[in-house]
Amino acid sequence: MAFDLDETHEDFRASVRAFTDQRVRPVVDEAERSGRPPERLWKEMGDAGLLGLLTPPELGGSAGEGGESVAIALVAEELSRACGGIAVSALVSAYMAGPHIVRYGTPEQQQHWATALAAGTAIAAIAVTEPGAGSDVAGITAKARHTDEGWVIDGRKMFITNAGLADVIVVGAKTSPDAGHRGITTFVVPADTPGLSLGAPLQKMGWHSSDTREVILDGVTVPDDAVLGGLDRGFYQIMAAFQLERVVLAGMGLGHAAEAIATATAYVRDREVAGAPLTALQTVRHRIAAMEVELDAARAVTYQAADRLDRDHPDAGRSVAAAKYFAAKAADHIVDEALQLFGGAGYLEETPIVRHQRDVRILRIGGGTDEIQLEILSKRLIP
């Protein structure tokens, strides 16, 4: 299944699109104004099976039949057609923070948190990025020291999506400071733990309906059983989780691009110039055709990357980097082209294309910048 979705995934896409049209689109304006998805939407997404695709059935999810990464990419694509901020809020909880608990958590951690995250009755965030360490995970400075009471965590985390909504935060900290990347551990930290505080919501260019803040850890004490996976194994767990995160972000790009093309096509069909629709102009028709070709190419590389990730293909890492790079750049270009077709109307806040223009730009930064993906792809050139 390198390029075409099978019938199961096509049917799943249709169900996610129906959910998006019926439950997400009507609340976009509310979410953009309030800076967060409506609380009721989380449970609705859980009931629709959108949050538990990696969670095993015994914990309330649907994982186990294969194709999970492809399905998650489709969720990212369809939700982003309506709103990037709402989409990333759900995707961070279920498929960026949640997988750490599903894959590495103890049975008690899984039962307590994974079940609730899949159901949409709890929200998760992941706190790795710091003011001075983004893609360079090994450069984090937050520290956790062991005491008779467990682990005491100190540090500052920045750009943390869902920080103000989360019930639980997966925190990365140095447990062996002199060991470099080999000395990082991840912890399950309930958001109400004493010593954990939050900065004010960050005012972002886009993703207005997602909550993003600084997380401050000042003497946060957690028990020994708060460790996720093995001690000093956090770097490897974080890097493994990046693979799915990058597929998710590529999928979001597909959604923004697809919606931009659909919106712009409808506009130029209705917009008349000199008594004829804009589609009468060859240059307009050709521009839309070129946008569709670019989207088709981005879909192909993204679906292939997701499929390879599901199959543990030896080239999965390279495919994921290629998808993240190409789909994010293609989406950025397609949305910009669509805005151009709107002319002056495309510069008005009341035009939906403006929100997609704001939201799509972050996809070339989050989860590893363009430059990080190119570095991954170029390493094979060096003997």
Side-chain angles (χ1 to χ4, degrees):
M1 197 215 71
F3 303 105
D4 293 317
L5 296 176
D6 58 28
E7 185 177 355
T8 299
H9 282 109
E10 287 288 8
D11 289 345
F12 180 70
R13 178 205 288 282
S15 70
V16 180
R17 182 170 297 183
F19 176 88
T20 300
D21 290 343
Q22 295 164 15
R23 309 307 302 171
V24 180
R25 289 187 189 275
V27 302
V28 169
D29 289 343
E30 174 190 345
E32 291 282 288
R33 287 192 301 269
S34 66
R36 58 191 296 164
E39 187 173 342
R40 62 187 180 278
L41 187 59
W42 291 94
K43 183 65 164 55
E44 292 172 353
M45 289 188 289
D47 289 344
L50 305 188
L51 305 179
L53 294 168
L54 276 186
T55 308
E58 60 269 24
L59 295 174
S62 58
E65 297 182 3
E68 289 89 353
S69 298
V70 177
I72 291 166
L74 294 174
V75 172
E77 180 176 350
E78 294 303 324
L79 289 179
S80 296
R81 293 190 69 155
C83 180
I86 291 176
V88 77
S89 300
L91 294 164
V92 163
S93 181
Y95 303 120
M96 297 182 197
H100 287 270
I101 298 173
V102 171
R103 290 171 174 162
Y104 308 115
T106 64
E108 292 75 19
Q109 289 168 340
Q110 293 172 343
Q111 192 64 49
H112 186 82
W113 291 115
T115 302
L117 295 177
T121 56
I123 300 170
I126 180 163
V128 174
T129 301
E130 297 181 358
S135 298
D136 178 21
V137 174
I140 66 172
T141 60
K143 293 180 174 60
R145 55 187 174 85
H146 196 253
T147 70
D148 292 341
E149 298 178 353
W151 292 91
V152 179
I153 309 172
D154 292 284
R156 303 174 80 93
K157 302 293 182 176
M158 181 55 80
F159 308 126
I160 307 306
T161 300
N162 289 348
L165 312 180
D167 301 286
V168 62
I169 302 178
V170 175
V171 175
K174 288 279 184 71
T175 41
S176 298
D178 298 329
H181 70 277
R182 295 183 179 87
I184 296 172
T185 301
T186 53
F187 297 86
V188 175
V189 182
D192 59 359
T193 303
L196 190 155
S197 61
L198 307 174
L202 297 174
Q203 302 303 304
K204 308 182 296 292
M205 170 185 171
W207 283 357
H208 290 173
S209 48
S210 72
D211 181 278
T212 310
R213 309 186 191 216
E214 182 180 23
V215 173
I216 302 161
L217 303 145
D218 185 8
V220 172
T221 301
V222 294
D224 285 333
D225 61 8
V227 170
L228 262 177
L231 187 65
D232 291 341
R233 295 296 300 171
F235 176 83
Y236 306 100
Q237 294 166 192
I238 292 165
M239 297 310 292
F242 266 145
Q243 300 304 306
L244 180 60
E245 179 174 343
R246 288 166 180 166
V247 166
V248 165
L249 294 169
M252 291 184 69
L254 302 181
H256 287 301
E259 189 71 8
I261 291 173
T263 304
T265 300
Y267 180 79
V268 296
R269 281 174 177 158
D270 293 338
R271 174 73 168 168
E272 290 194 357
V273 175
L278 279 175
T279 48
L281 299 174
Q282 184 184 70
T283 183
V284 171
R285 298 196 306 272
H286 285 192
R287 177 172 277 183
I288 291 176
M291 292 158 65
E292 289 178 333
V293 169
E294 199 169 2
L295 174 57
D296 284 346
R299 277 193 172 127
V301 72
T302 299
Y303 295 165
Q304 182 187 62
D307 178 57
R308 285 182 166 181
L309 189 59
D310 282 331
R311 294 188 290 110
D312 198 24
H313 190 283
D315 285 335
R318 186 179 183 282
S319 290
V320 167
K324 169 65 166 63
Y325 172 78
F326 184 78
K329 287 204 73 172
D332 193 23
H333 179 250
I334 290 168
V335 173
D336 191 65
E337 288 285 277
L339 188 147
Q340 187 71 18
L341 288 171
F342 274 87
Y347 205 63
L348 300 178
E349 283 289 346
E350 65 192 56
T351 307
I353 195 67
V354 173
R355 187 179 66 254
H356 291 285
Q357 175 85 339
R358 290 197 308 261
D359 287 354
V360 76
R361 187 60 181 84
I362 186 62
L363 301 181
R364 294 177 57 193
I365 299 171
T369 61
D370 289 352
E371 293 75 16
I372 291 291
Q373 307 315 312
L374 290 174
E375 182 63 16
I376 293 170
L377 294 168
S378 67
K379 281 184 177 179
R380 65 187 178 87
L381 302 177
I382 302 173

